[in-house]
Amino acid sequence: MTSAPLPDSIRSRVFTALAGVTDPEIRKPITELNMVSDVTVSDTGLVTVGIRLTIAGCPAAQRIESDVLAAAESVCGAGNASVEVAIMTREQRTALTEKLRGGQLERSVQFGPESLTRVYAITSGKGGVGKSTVTANLAVALSAEGLRVGIVDADVHGFSIPGLLGLVHEGLAVKPTQVGDMILPPIGHEVKVISIGMFIDDASAAVAWRGPMLHRTIKQFLTDVYFGDLDVLLLDLPPGTGDVAITVGQLLPHAEVIVVTTPQPAAADVAERSGTVARQTGQTVYGVIENMSAMVQPDGSLLELFGTGGGAEVARRLSLGQPNPVPVLAHIPLSLPLRSGGDAGLPVVLGAPDDPAARAIRELARSMKTRARGLAGVSLGLTPR
């Protein structure tokens, strides 16, 4: 005759199963985050799991509760478990935020020179060249390569990253969860995102801020937003050479700059300036992306709607006076799916992966994946998600 499992044995197995439940916003096991308050087993074998959510109205509450119940029932059987939900106290939230910050009480800018995260500031000389669309698609393509990726939408006046990544509901960007003084960034297509658009309650509102406010906002994004251990952070800068570019240069002087331009040679002048400002703040130019390049027609001919040679000319000019030449990283062709995917919040690299623009972006992501990961020199491609 086989004896029934002892309550302590069941309890231990349930805790083991709960270690596989991950908070969908923080992306860590709930057992590691001290979100499991207790597991009790009745004389009849019924299991009750107590969990603590970070805040009241936690947007991930339903998913966490469902995942916890499934984990418990995987041990004790369907219908033999229940979940009791409570909210963390202020002290527990403070302990959680300190734990996530590595025990540091004082907030500081993340991704500094000591960080292993590769930081790329994506800029352009002028608007309308598809810089944000390129940023969003590149981030998703890097994530699809197995990397942990985040975006700071630093284009405060012209934010568009939430919409491009499908993080918009009823015309407004999805709100981030705030745990004490820590902000948990929403996740779109496996990319962590923060944008000023997530703090605005009127879709038609204009952000009319001057330099000091812009500086404080970007600094807060880099200080208070919990991105966790990222392999790559992309910053979508506003076009031109204004306050935000200077702020990013001051806060992240080790960031590498990617200049997005279009094929017409006349665009080279303004695109060159954005790279020059980066170097004035101590940053290096990683390369140039030529967007809206020639489109292949059904008969195989090329439609050079915006001319040709602009990307190469920008790279040539930015290479002058430095030991290593600035490369053209990619030529992304004109693409209707690229545009329509941005409108729908479904990046072309996911929605139409065989489109020529998607292929060009994915190839760029694969080349960037092989770069050394910061100080450790570990291949990005070997870092698990």
Side-chain angles (χ1 to χ4, degrees):
M1 180 177 178
T2 303
S3 60
L6 295 174
D8 284 348
S9 172
I10 296 175
R11 187 171 183 272
S12 175
R13 287 162 54 200
V14 170
F15 264 113
T16 299
L18 292 174
V21 177
T22 299
D23 183 293
E25 294 180 299
I26 303 176
R27 297 297 178 96
K28 288 183 178 292
I30 61 171
T31 50
E32 185 179 325
L33 300 174
N34 198 30
M35 294 176 67
V36 179
S37 57
D38 198 9
V39 174
T40 60
V41 184
S42 71
D43 294 338
T44 59
L46 295 177
V47 172
T48 301
V49 180
I51 60 173
R52 291 185 284 249
L53 300 177
T54 52
I55 59 170
C58 173
Q62 187 174 0
R63 176 174 167 183
I64 293 173
E65 186 174 352
S66 174
D67 289 351
V68 167
L69 181 62
E73 288 185 338
S74 72
V75 175
C76 63
N80 293 321
S82 62
V83 180
E84 294 182 350
V85 179
I87 305 300
M88 286 185 176
T89 64
R90 179 180 297 179
E91 292 74 21
Q92 289 166 340
R93 281 194 293 271
T94 299
L96 173 61
T97 56
E98 289 179 7
K99 182 184 179 97
L100 293 175
R101 290 187 175 122
Q104 297 180 359
L105 294 176
E106 184 176 347
R107 290 174 284 171
S108 58
V109 172
Q110 302 171 82
F111 314 114
E114 74 288 349
S115 170
L116 300 181
T117 301
R118 280 278 184 187
V119 181
Y120 298 97
I122 302 183
T123 185
S124 64
K126 62 178 182 177
V129 301
K131 169 184 55 63
S132 297
T133 301
V134 168
T135 302
N137 275 274
L138 179 57
V140 173
L142 287 165
S143 177
E145 290 292 325
L147 308 184
R148 294 167 294 199
V149 184
I151 294 179
V152 171
D153 187 357
D155 194 349
V156 176
H157 294 133
F159 54 87
S160 58
I161 292 294
L164 291 167
L165 291 179
L167 293 172
V168 172
H169 179 66
E170 295 183 352
L172 291 174
V174 173
K175 303 291 185 186
T177 299
Q178 294 192 242
V179 181
D181 58 11
M182 178 176 283
I183 301 170
L184 304 181
I187 300 172
H189 303 297
E190 296 302 315
V191 176
K192 296 182 177 181
V193 181
I194 195 67
S195 170
I196 195 63
M198 296 171 175
F199 300 89
I200 291 175
D201 295 322
D202 182 356
S204 64
V207 180
W209 293 345
R210 292 185 175 179
M213 181 65 80
L214 295 172
H215 179 89
R216 285 196 294 270
T217 299
I218 301 304
K219 185 175 182 179
Q220 185 177 16
F221 283 172
L222 295 172
T223 302
D224 294 349
V225 178
Y226 175 74
F227 283 102
D229 182 21
L230 296 181
D231 294 306
V232 176
L233 177 69
L234 303 181
L235 293 99
D236 183 33
L237 269 58
T241 57
D243 293 315
V244 172
I246 296 171
T247 286
V248 170
Q250 292 172 341
L251 297 176
L252 299 171
H254 63 295
E256 297 175 281
V257 173
I258 296 175
V259 178
V260 179
T261 188
T262 49
Q264 63 264 48
D269 291 335
V270 290
E272 179 190 6
R273 293 184 202 122
S274 60
T276 301
V277 165
R279 283 212 284 254
Q280 289 174 348
T281 59
Q283 298 170 322
T284 58
V285 179
Y286 174 57
V288 175
I289 295 175
E290 183 182 277
N291 193 30
M292 305 182 191
S293 292
M295 175 191 290
V296 180
Q297 300 287 71
D299 63 358
S301 63
L302 296 178
L303 175 61
E304 297 175 338
L305 190 62
F306 293 102
T308 184
E313 177 62 13
V314 173
R316 184 191 69 79
R317 295 188 187 191
L318 292 174
S319 298
L320 298 176
Q322 69 173 45
N324 298 316
V326 172
V328 178
L329 301 171
H331 293 84
I332 303 173
L334 273 170
S335 164
L336 291 177
L338 181 64
R339 190 274 304 163
S340 60
D343 292 340
L346 180 62
V348 70
V349 293
L350 298 179
D354 292 328
D355 180 78
R359 291 200 300 267
I361 295 168
R362 293 204 320 274
E363 182 61 33
L364 172 57
R366 282 191 287 270
S367 69
M368 293 174 67
K369 171 187 174 181
T370 62
R371 300 196 74 203
R373 186 177 186 261
L375 297 177
V378 179
S379 171
L380 281 172
L382 301 180
T383 305
R385 189 187 297 282

